[in-house]
Amino acid sequence: MRSGTNLPRVGGFNRSVILDTIRRSPEGVSRVEIAGATGLSAQTVSNIVRRLLQEDLVTETGRAASTGGKPRTLLRTNPTAYFSVGIHIDPDTITLVATDLDGSVRGTVHRRTPRTPSANQVVRQVAGAVRGLLERAQIPVDRLLGLGVACPGPLDLSRGLVLSPPNLPGWHEVPLLAYLQEEFGVPVVVDNDATAAAIGERWAGAGGARMGSFAFLYFGTGVGGGLFLGDQVWRGNSGNAGEFGHITVVPNGTPCFCGNKGCLEAYVRPHAIVAETAAALEKRPADPLPLKLEPSREFADYELICQAAGTHPVARQVIQRAAAKVAIAATSLVNVVDVERIVLGGKGVRYVVDAYKAAISEAVNSRSIARGVRTVQVEPSLIGEDAGARGAAALVLDGAYSPQLATLFSRTD
Amino acid sequence: MRSGTNLPRVGGFNRSVILDTIRRSPEGVSRVEIAGATGLSAQTVSNIVRRLLQEDLVTETGRAASTGGKPRTLLRTNPTAYFSVGIHIDPDTITLVATDLDGSVRGTVHRRTPRTPSANQVVRQVAGAVRGLLERAQIPVDRLLGLGVACPGPLDLSRGLVLSPPNLPGWHEVPLLAYLQEEFGVPVVVDNDATAAAIGERWAGAGGARMGSFAFLYFGTGVGGGLFLGDQVWRGNSGNAGEFGHITVVPNGTPCFCGNKGCLEAYVRPHAIVAETAAALEKRPADPLPLKLEPSREFADYELICQAAGTHPVARQVIQRAAAKVAIAATSLVNVVDVERIVLGGKGVRYVVDAYKAAISEAVNSRSIARGVRTVQVEPSLIGEDAGARGAAALVLDGAYSPQLATLFSRTD
């Protein structure tokens, strides 16, 4: 049954709305402007702001020139009131990022992901990395709002705090989340890395750059996606929505690790790009490329190919074919979810972002069914290559401070 | 900016929540049970129910056995308080359905769609059909809550009340909606036919059969889809979400009317199935099928092929190939939106629903990326072949009586 809503829940929601409004006004905003922007009464705004000031989440900073009457006091968020740490567990790399309340990065750590870890080894390594990061960024543990963990899908949310990332069989049943929660005494949240990246993007673009509806296409070791629909994240019924890399682009095509055939990911992930390039190079000995072709150097090979795509004929063809497949999947995606914006992010797009952007934009704006009534914007991510980890940090901030429709309907009993 | 919410808006939302709760309890529900189900206070429930009784939307019907204390009065919706008429404009057929508040059908009309209509001719014909339907179903015009119009996408919502369905060039600029609004003095709402069907399905399955998240795959003259995500319809940023038929299933494949290539619709719409069968039959003169192969008899040919698929080798192959493509697109859809249920509806699935259901269920539950953590249900529609028109009628009911999150944030000024 759909729940009704009531005053205490509305109060919590309005608090988030006001905090969100202040956060989106880096130049400062007055109580009167908040009332105008949110449609809330002056009294409600005043009461909520008083509590936010007491909690040190907001500060009063100077006064704005007034159009008459007394000058209005401006409010800003206090970015150093709290901090968050995001941990992105990718099959290649574990990335940690510490951010302040504004989502600004205060420190970053990269570690190689252990291939066959023991549970003990992993949890101690990660906890040690968090502690080192907090120390170097000079963040006191009691100012840590929480830890966010992001890993590739699929997620089994019903399994709670046991993490078992696919492609990382050794990680199965590593009790990382429960350990971190106990070790640091703060909430630990977990999400799909691409969904986390979308939340991080929304947090970074809260000034308006990422309001509304967008799909975050995440290119890492694999290919994922996160969805914001109507300015709310859509995680899916089982927490596995937005799996952009598993849109079929070739019927009965190349087998994918996921068990299906012809998935986009099977053609455009770094492993596939390197293999396709290596095979093509064998037939063209006159056009060599200095690939290492060792499993541990695969991502470096991939980036070499991406960089060479501008000049090297084989690399160019491979990347063009990949871009064409990405564009086909993006058109299907747009036809299904009808978003106004596509964002490209993750370390995998560093050198192909322009090629992918051009191919996607051309496709969705000349071949999607609603192209006549709207233009879809295609843009690089605001949060860069560490989108997974920055997104994981944003999970904590978002859970604590974004207006969540769900809070209006949560049962208090 | 996200708006805050306040008491009057919350009141309107809670009214819808309570009415929805009563509607979903055909056996009757007491005030105490409503309070328990919605989390609202006894006082709030009592006040809102009093107004619903005054407006004749709800009736008190008998008393339930009590576990002690005085027996509780049961509340039911009054299905004949208001009626709605849905009009589905399909390239082949215009279908009108009158329903009561419960969504039960009180009358149906089918008309052939004029191919090259004049504006005058169309608006008079449709208005006449509405009037005739109301008369036969004995519905007084003053009990008409509104008119819903559904037509194939894409919709240009910015164009307001001018309808220009694709595949119906003669209909361009027919001012049907404004005319109906003036003629009957009631609100006229318009939506994509597949989205309307999804809303109709949700309305019909409000007892629980269609709560949560589902995709309605609509098979008519074309192939469309509607999405309910988190128990709310998702129309998309431009009102064109859920275009299931325009998921690419063959890269650089058969050109589609939409301007793209290899869309599902280009392979499985009745026109394509008939053409494919006719071509295959030419090569196998020993296995004839009595197709008419006239444009005006195309849908009859299509149904003949669907019916013959159980016994005729050519028809079987064609339908199996179509089912396989539908299953590929459904798997991509599930990987993107992660719904718990897929519903098959529209006149196009009358004789293939079992074949499509089996193929989709096998695919999404053995090849989608999150298959290990959940099972997707695949089911025939509750609202049958006239899903477009019944959905159009439900648009009116849904807009008037379903809890809409948007009402919480609408500006009163």
Side-chain angles (χ1 to χ4, degrees):
Chain A
M1 290 278 168
R2 164 73 68 192
S3 296
T5 188
N6 60 25
L7 268 189
R9 293 183 220 148
V10 165
F13 181 79
N14 286 342
R15 178 190 142 100
S16 301
V17 167
I18 289 176
L19 190 57
D20 207 40
T21 305
I22 299 172
R23 196 169 71 76
R24 285 185 216 154
S25 311
E27 70 299 340
V29 62
S30 72
R31 288 168 176 79
V32 172
E33 287 164 336
I34 294 171
T38 60
L40 294 168
S41 73
Q43 187 60 45
T44 299
V45 172
S46 178
N47 289 340
I48 291 176
V49 165
R50 190 182 319 117
R51 284 196 299 274
L52 294 174
L53 286 165
Q54 283 162 2
E55 294 170 41
D56 205 25
L57 282 166
V58 162
T59 53
E60 292 185 329
T61 57
R63 287 162 183 278
S66 175
T67 53
K70 65 171 186 173
R72 295 156 305 142
T73 305
L74 293 184
L75 300 161
R76 287 200 182 108
T77 49
N78 173 15
T80 60
Y82 290 104
F83 299 86
S84 169
V85 168
I87 305 166
H88 181 212
I89 296 165
D90 180 86
D92 277 347
T93 312
I94 298 179
T95 307
L96 290 88
V97 165
T99 75
D100 61 26
L101 264 194
D102 283 347
S104 300
V105 175
R106 298 280 175 150
T108 307
V109 170
H110 293 100
R111 290 259 183 284
R112 235 184 142 76
T113 306
R115 298 306 300 176
T116 49
S118 77
N120 263 337
Q121 188 196 347
V122 166
V123 295
R124 283 207 204 117
Q125 269 191 3
V126 174
V130 172
R131 215 172 287 283
L133 178 60
L134 293 177
E135 216 163 276
R136 250 171 308 134
Q138 296 182 294
I139 298 171
V141 174
D142 64 357
R143 290 263 159 166
L144 185 63
L145 192 64
L147 295 165
V149 177
C151 62
L155 285 185
D156 186 349
L157 296 179
S158 67
R159 294 170 54 79
L161 293 182
V162 175
L163 209 64
S164 50
N167 283 338
L168 283 170
W171 279 70
H172 192 59
E173 306 274 335
V174 169
L176 179 64
L177 309 187
Y179 185 90
L180 290 175
Q181 193 158 315
E182 186 157 321
E183 189 71 5
F184 293 95
V186 294
V188 179
V189 291
V190 64
D191 215 324
N192 178 296
D193 54 4
T195 299
I199 290 170
E201 187 78 12
R202 171 68 177 66
W203 193 262
R210 294 296 180 262
M211 302 285 289
S213 301
F214 68 89
F216 190 109
L217 309 187
Y218 181 84
F219 295 82
T221 306
V223 179
L227 300 174
F228 263 76
L229 305 180
D231 213 29
Q232 293 279 310
V233 65
W234 172 244
R235 289 193 166 85
N237 185 58
S238 73
N240 290 289
E243 285 287 1
F244 177 66
H246 300 279
I247 292 177
T248 304
V249 291
V250 178
N252 300 310
T254 303
C256 180
F257 89 90
C258 81
N260 203 354
K261 288 177 179 177
C263 294
L264 174 67
E265 179 172 305
Y267 297 94
V268 306
R269 69 190 180 119
H271 179 77
I273 295 287
V274 173
E276 186 181 341
T277 308
L281 288 173
E282 279 191 14
K283 293 179 199 151
R284 295 184 59 160
D287 296 306
L289 267 179
L291 301 182
K292 303 288 182 198
L293 300 179
E294 292 162 24
S296 67
R297 309 288 290 272
E298 195 165 73
F299 198 77
D301 280 352
Y302 167 71
E303 292 209 315
L304 190 151
I305 296 163
C306 293
Q307 284 182 280
T311 53
H312 191 280
V314 171
R316 182 189 301 131
Q317 274 189 1
V318 170
I319 296 302
Q320 277 177 350
R321 275 198 293 265
K325 288 197 172 66
V326 168
I328 286 174
T331 307
S332 291
L333 179 83
V334 162
N335 283 337
V336 169
V337 291
D338 187 15
V339 288
E340 63 195 296
R341 191 180 308 275
I342 287 177
V343 176
L344 303 174
K347 63 178 180 175
V349 286
R350 187 168 8 186
Y351 300 109
V352 291
V353 69
D354 290 337
Y356 282 13
K357 184 185 146 174
I360 293 171
S361 185
E362 197 280 333
V364 297
N365 291 315
S366 73
R367 306 203 305 258
S368 72
I369 187 164
R371 64 185 174 279
V373 302
R374 55 106 175 85
T375 301
V376 179
Q377 303 301 322
V378 186
E379 293 169 16
S381 166
L382 302 171
I383 57 173
E385 293 161 32
D386 291 330
R390 287 187 65 178
L395 287 177
V396 175
L397 307 175
D398 185 67
Y401 298 120
S402 282
Q404 309 282 337
L405 288 176
T407 59
L408 281 170
F409 311 109
S410 61
R411 296 308 179 90
T412 43
D413 51 33
Chain B
M1 291 276 168
R2 166 73 68 193
S3 296
T5 188
N6 60 25
L7 268 188
R9 294 183 219 149
V10 166
F13 181 78
N14 286 341
R15 178 190 141 101
S16 300
V17 168
I18 289 177
L19 190 58
D20 206 40
T21 305
I22 299 171
R23 196 170 71 77
R24 286 186 215 155
S25 312
E27 71 298 344
V29 62
S30 72
R31 288 169 177 79
V32 172
E33 288 165 335
I34 294 172
T38 59
L40 293 169
S41 72
Q43 187 59 44
T44 299
V45 172
S46 178
N47 289 340
I48 291 176
V49 165
R50 189 183 320 118
R51 285 198 298 274
L52 294 173
L53 285 165
Q54 282 165 1
E55 293 169 41
D56 206 24
L57 282 166
V58 161
T59 53
E60 292 184 330
T61 58
R63 285 162 186 278
S66 174
T67 53
K70 65 170 188 174
R72 295 156 307 141
T73 306
L74 293 184
L75 299 161
R76 286 199 184 110
T77 49
N78 174 14
T80 59
Y82 290 103
F83 300 86
S84 169
V85 169
I87 305 165
H88 182 210
I89 296 165
D90 180 87
D92 276 347
T93 313
I94 297 178
T95 307
L96 291 86
V97 164
T99 76
D100 61 25
L101 264 195
D102 283 346
S104 300
V105 174
R106 299 279 175 150
T108 307
V109 170
H110 293 101
R111 291 260 184 284
R112 237 187 138 73
T113 306
R115 298 306 300 178
T116 49
S118 76
N120 264 338
Q121 187 194 351
V122 166
V123 296
R124 284 207 204 117
Q125 269 190 3
V126 174
V130 172
R131 216 173 287 283
L133 178 61
L134 293 177
E135 215 164 277
R136 252 172 306 134
Q138 296 182 293
I139 297 170
V141 174
D142 64 358
R143 289 263 158 169
L144 185 62
L145 191 64
L147 295 165
V149 177
C151 63
L155 285 185
D156 186 349
L157 296 179
S158 67
R159 293 171 55 77
L161 294 181
V162 174
L163 209 63
S164 50
N167 283 337
L168 283 171
W171 279 69
H172 192 59
E173 306 273 333
V174 169
L176 180 63
L177 307 187
Y179 185 90
L180 289 175
Q181 193 159 312
E182 185 157 323
E183 190 70 6
F184 293 95
V186 293
V188 179
V189 289
V190 64
D191 215 325
N192 177 296
D193 53 5
T195 299
I199 290 169
E201 186 79 12
R202 171 65 178 69
W203 193 262
R210 294 296 181 263
M211 304 284 289
S213 301
F214 69 89
F216 190 109
L217 307 187
Y218 181 84
F219 295 83
T221 307
V223 178
L227 299 174
F228 263 78
L229 305 180
D231 213 29
Q232 294 279 313
V233 66
W234 173 244
R235 289 191 166 88
N237 185 59
S238 73
N240 289 289
E243 284 288 1
F244 178 67
H246 300 280
I247 291 176
T248 304
V249 292
V250 178
N252 300 309
T254 304
C256 180
F257 90 90
C258 81
N260 203 353
K261 289 179 178 176
C263 293
L264 175 67
E265 180 171 304
Y267 297 93
V268 306
R269 68 191 181 117
H271 178 77
I273 295 286
V274 172
E276 186 181 342
T277 307
L281 287 172
E282 278 192 13
K283 295 179 198 150
R284 294 183 59 158
D287 297 305
L289 268 179
L291 301 181
K292 304 286 181 199
L293 300 180
E294 292 163 21
S296 67
R297 309 290 288 272
E298 196 166 72
F299 198 78
D301 281 352
Y302 167 71
E303 292 210 313
L304 190 151
I305 296 164
C306 294
Q307 284 183 281
T311 52
H312 191 279
V314 170
R316 183 189 301 129
Q317 275 189 0
V318 169
I319 296 301
Q320 277 176 350
R321 274 198 293 266
K325 288 198 173 64
V326 168
I328 285 173
T331 307
S332 291
L333 179 83
V334 163
N335 282 338
V336 169
V337 290
D338 187 15
V339 288
E340 64 196 297
R341 192 181 307 276
I342 287 177
V343 175
L344 303 173
K347 65 179 180 175
V349 287
R350 185 166 13 184
Y351 300 109
V352 292
V353 70
D354 291 335
Y356 282 13
K357 184 184 146 175
I360 293 171
S361 185
E362 198 278 334
V364 297
N365 291 315
S366 73
R367 306 201 306 256
S368 72
I369 187 164
R371 64 186 173 281
V373 301
R374 55 107 175 84
T375 301
V376 178
Q377 304 299 322
V378 186
E379 293 169 15
S381 166
L382 301 169
I383 58 174
E385 293 161 33
D386 291 330
R390 287 188 63 181
L395 287 177
V396 176
L397 307 175
D398 185 67
Y401 297 120
S402 281
Q404 309 280 339
L405 288 176
T407 59
L408 280 171
F409 310 109
S410 61
R411 296 307 178 91
T412 43
D413 49 32

